[in-house]
Amino acid sequence: MRSSGDGAAVGGSYPQQGSTADQTIGQPAVPAAVAGDGVASAKGIGYRGPTACAAAGITYRQLDYWARTGLVEPSVRPAYGSGTQRLYSFRDVVLLKIVKRFLDTGVALQNIRTTVQHLRDRGFQDLERMTLMSDGATVYECSSPAEVVELLQGGQGVFGIAVGVVWRDVDAALSQLHGERVDTGETLVGNNPADELARRRNRAG
């Protein structure tokens, strides 16, 4: 178990969300993408800003600010002046959604920034099997259910994010949105159920 953050609480504590923690700290599901079944998380595929925003549940203004301040930068292709599009990797989008989750629960941005840097330093290894816990002041990284229980018994962790669940949600969202092949720039059309329904109706007509 590792901790990150400077320990300085900003704005006091936030209300405990027992139901959310109960859902996220149990036994994180390993998403299909980890086993190589998910197209969205495949290497060599990038996602433009609007797609990353839709999958992470953030605004383009947030995305732009976080990129410009170095919180979460696009690892596939940064923006080079006007006319170029940022391109985010699957892991980038997972990170965006994690940042959004922490912000929504009142964790200070500086502590989130420290957490993101910590994840970068360790190379995002086993990211999808990790549980991140926070008491509003410090973020703890837990690699096993026993460590989660230990934190809860000690009274430190009041909010948990099972990264595997976030990973699976992002994979499901991106599979219905457009991606882009990094090498050729080819647009990959997502498997949108509404589009499939329209195609069936056209064939029937």
Side-chain angles (χ1 to χ4, degrees), residues 5 10 29 41 53 67 73 98 114 119 121 126 144 167 181 192 195:
V10 177
S41 60
C53 288
E73 298 175 283
I98 290 172
T114 303
L119 294 175
D121 291 344
D126 296 324
S144 72
W167 184 292
R181 290 194 182 278
N192 192 315
D195 293 342

Side-chain angles (χ1 to χ4, degrees), residues 10 28 31 35-36 39 41 48 50 55 60 70 74 82 102 113-114 138 146 151 154 163 189 194 196-197:
V10 177
V39 175
S41 60
R48 294 192 175 191
Y60 194 85
S82 59
F102 274 132
R113 193 176 294 276
T114 303
T138 303
L151 268 180
V163 182
V189 180
E196 178 61 27
L197 182 61

Side-chain angles (χ1 to χ4, degrees), residues 25-59:
I25 66 173
Q27 296 178 352
V30 178
V34 179
D37 297 332
V39 175
S41 60
K43 291 182 179 179
I45 298 177
Y47 300 94
R48 294 192 175 191
T51 300
C53 288
I58 61 175
T59 66

Side-chain angles (χ1 to χ4, degrees), residues 9 18 42 45 55 97 112 118 145 150 188 193:
I45 298 177
K97 195 172 182 72
I112 297 173
H118 169 73
E150 182 184 345
L188 302 173

Side-chain angles (χ1 to χ4, degrees), residues 120-165:
R120 283 202 191 104
D121 291 344
R122 71 190 300 277
F124 297 103
Q125 295 177 356
D126 296 324
L127 185 64
E128 71 279 5
R129 293 177 176 83
M130 186 187 304
T131 299
L132 298 172
M133 303 290 294
S134 177
D135 57 4
T138 303
V139 177
Y140 301 87
E141 171 200 331
C142 301
S143 56
S144 72
E147 291 179 341
V148 174
V149 172
E150 182 184 345
L151 268 180
L152 290 174
Q153 288 178 338
Q156 289 118 317
V158 295
F159 177 78
I161 298 176
V163 182
V165 175

Side-chain angles (χ1 to χ4, degrees), residues 59-81:
T59 66
Y60 194 85
R61 185 174 181 178
Q62 286 175 307
L63 182 84
D64 183 60
Y65 177 73
W66 295 349
R68 287 188 290 105
T69 58
L71 179 60
V72 182
E73 298 175 283
S75 62
V76 177
R77 186 176 66 212
Y80 296 107

